[in-house]
């Protein structure tokens, strides 16, 4: 094979590889995460009729539950799209909130969509503490001499008379 033929093949291979890489960067990936909402089941939950057991039988275990206040179960679903190397963005988001009263009966069912979501920006500041803040070496050196021969409790766990 001649040198010019090899150079032409190398350039052709490079061109095909470059086009392949560029096209792969244009691919679109759609992902669904969380609870897959079944509209018929979600619409069948009746306040005042259903309870925790019947909701769990219909919808399954919730994605999240409330920590404070009235008991609520949340069924969360989100569909996102990613194009190449561009940051992922949401297409749809559905949150079904099922609230229960003190007796465990459904009191209310709410539905939230992507338009109801709020963008929350976490603060990067630190929480101040009272007192002196010790550095790594201060903490390390401060413990020297505090541990006796029997351990931190000064020999707790030794048999009496030894």
């Amino acid at each position: 094979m001649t040198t010019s033929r090899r150079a032409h093949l190398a350039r052709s291979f490079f061109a095909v590889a470059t086009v392949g890489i560029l096209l792969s960067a244009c691919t679109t990936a759609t992902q669904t995460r969380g609870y897959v909402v079944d509209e018929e089941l979600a619409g069948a939950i009746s306040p005042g009729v259903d309870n925790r057991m019947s909701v769990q039988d219909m919808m399954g275990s919730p994605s999240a539950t409330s920590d404070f206040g009235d008991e609520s179960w949340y069924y969360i679903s989100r569909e996102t799209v990613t194009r190449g190397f561009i940051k992922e963005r949401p297409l749809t988001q559905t949150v079904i909130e099922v609230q229960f009263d003190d007796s465990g009966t459904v009191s209310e069912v709410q539905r939230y969509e992507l338009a109801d979501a709020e963008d929350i920006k976490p603060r990067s500041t630190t929480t101040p503490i009272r007192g002196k803040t010790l550095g790594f070496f201060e903490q390390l050196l401060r413990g020297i001499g505090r541990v006796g021969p029997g351990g931190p409790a000064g020999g707790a766990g030794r048999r009496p008379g030894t």
Side-chain angles (χ1 to χ4, degrees):
M1 193 179 293
T2 66
T3 306
S4 64
R5 176 90 171 129
R6 285 184 192 159
H8 177 70
L9 285 175
R11 280 193 300 265
S12 297
F13 176 76
F14 180 73
V16 169
T18 303
V19 169
I21 290 171
L22 291 175
L23 287 177
S24 69
C26 296
T27 60
T28 301
T30 304
Q31 293 183 338
T32 301
R33 295 185 180 109
Y35 180 77
V36 178
V37 178
D38 184 336
E39 297 298 336
E40 189 175 323
L41 292 177
I45 300 173
S46 301
V49 177
D50 286 308
N51 58 25
R52 288 184 194 101
M53 288 292 286
S54 63
V55 171
Q56 189 162 5
D57 287 344
M58 280 192 286
M59 305 274 287
S61 298
S63 305
T65 59
S66 61
D67 289 331
F68 305 103
D70 296 334
E71 185 177 8
S72 296
W73 289 1
Y74 301 95
Y75 294 90
I76 304 166
S77 175
R78 185 173 188 161
E79 185 178 11
T80 59
V81 65
T82 306
R83 286 196 174 98
F85 302 109
I86 299 173
K87 184 180 175 185
E88 167 181 283
R89 68 178 177 87
L91 290 175
T92 63
Q93 178 174 302
T94 304
V95 177
I96 298 173
E97 177 187 15
V98 182
Q99 296 177 3
F100 299 96
D101 60 18
D102 292 335
S103 66
T105 304
V106 174
S107 60
E108 190 175 2
V109 179
Q110 294 286 329
R111 182 186 184 100
Y112 305 101
E113 300 294 334
L114 185 59
D116 300 316
E118 293 185 25
D119 191 21
I120 298 173
K121 305 250 188 264
R123 296 183 79 177
S124 62
T125 58
T126 57
T127 304
I129 58 170
R130 297 181 185 193
K132 184 178 178 188
T133 305
L134 300 177
F136 172 75
F137 290 108
E138 290 176 303
Q139 291 178 21
L140 183 67
L141 296 174
R142 194 169 213 200
I144 295 176
R146 290 192 173 192
V147 179
R158 291 188 309 188
R159 287 180 283 142
T162 57

